[in-house]
C-alpha cells in the first residue's frame, strides 16, 4: 500500500494488532518500504518522495476497497484507534460478529471485526 509515512502507519498497525516489522529498506523510485505483519503474513507499506505527507491524494477503491482484520478485543482496538486521533464509524453487530471501520491518515479504509 502506498502511504504518506510508512513509519507512522507501521506504528499504528503494531499498536492496534500487535504486528511486527519483518523487513524494512529502500525500494523502487527512491522509496522506502516496511513489511509489517505476523510470521505468516504481512502488508507492505511503501512511500517515495512524490507522495506528499501533508495532502495525500488517494481515491477509495482504486484499486482497493478496504482491509479487514480480525481481533479478539474489538473495544480495546477501537480505543487505540481513537487515541491515535482517528474516527471509528460503521459500527455493526452482524452474523457472525461485531465490527467497525476507520480511515487512516492516507484515506485507507480498515474494517476491524471480532467473531467472539
Amino acid at each position: 500500500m502506498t502511504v504518506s509515512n510508512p513509519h507512522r502507519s507501521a506504528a499504528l498497525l503494531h499498536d492496534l494488532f500487535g504486528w511486527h516489522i519483518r523487513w524494512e529498506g529502500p525500494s523502487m523510485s527512491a522509496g522506502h518500504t516496511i513489511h509489517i505483519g505476523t510470521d505468516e503474513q504481512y502488508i507492505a507499506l511503501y512511500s517515495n518522495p512524490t507522495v506528499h505527507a501533508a495532502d495525500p491524494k488517494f481515491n477509495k477503491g482504486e484499486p482497493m476497497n478496504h482491509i479487514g482484520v480480525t481481533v479478539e478485543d474489538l473495544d480495546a482496538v477501537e480505543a487505540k484507534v481513537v487515541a491515535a486521533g482517528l474516527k471509528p464509524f460503521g459500527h455493526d453487530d452482524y452474523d457472525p460478529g461485531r465490527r467497525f471501520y476507520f480511515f487512516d491518515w492516507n484515506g485507507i479504509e480498515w474494517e476491524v471485526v471480532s467473531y467472539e
Side-chain angles (χ1 to χ4, degrees):
M1 299 184 314
T2 300
V3 298
S4 57
N5 183 328
H7 290 102
R8 177 177 65 176
S9 293
L12 178 69
L13 298 177
H14 169 76
D15 189 39
L16 296 182
F17 309 126
W19 293 352
H20 63 273
I21 293 175
R22 296 169 37 133
W23 178 83
E24 177 177 357
S27 55
M28 66 180 193
S29 301
H32 189 80
T33 297
I34 298 174
H35 292 180
I36 185 163
T38 67
D39 290 338
E40 293 81 31
Q41 52 201 332
Y42 69 91
I43 292 175
L45 304 172
Y46 167 78
S47 193
N48 68 46
T50 65
V51 177
H52 301 286
D55 189 23
K57 298 289 186 199
F58 309 114
N59 294 318
K60 181 183 181 314
E62 293 180 6
M64 178 178 57
N65 185 279
H66 72 275
I67 297 171
V69 178
T70 59
V71 299
E72 290 185 22
D73 189 339
L74 192 70
D75 296 328
V77 173
E78 183 171 4
K80 291 177 182 182
V81 168
V82 171
L86 304 168
K87 295 185 183 350
F89 68 92
H91 297 80
D92 193 18
D93 292 341
Y94 72 110
D95 188 21
R98 298 174 44 225
R99 68 180 171 200
F100 71 89
Y101 296 84
F102 70 95
F103 285 98
D104 71 10
W105 305 280
N106 305 288
I108 297 168
E109 184 177 15
W110 294 84
E111 175 188 15
V112 184
V113 62
S114 175
Y115 294 123
E116 295 183 13

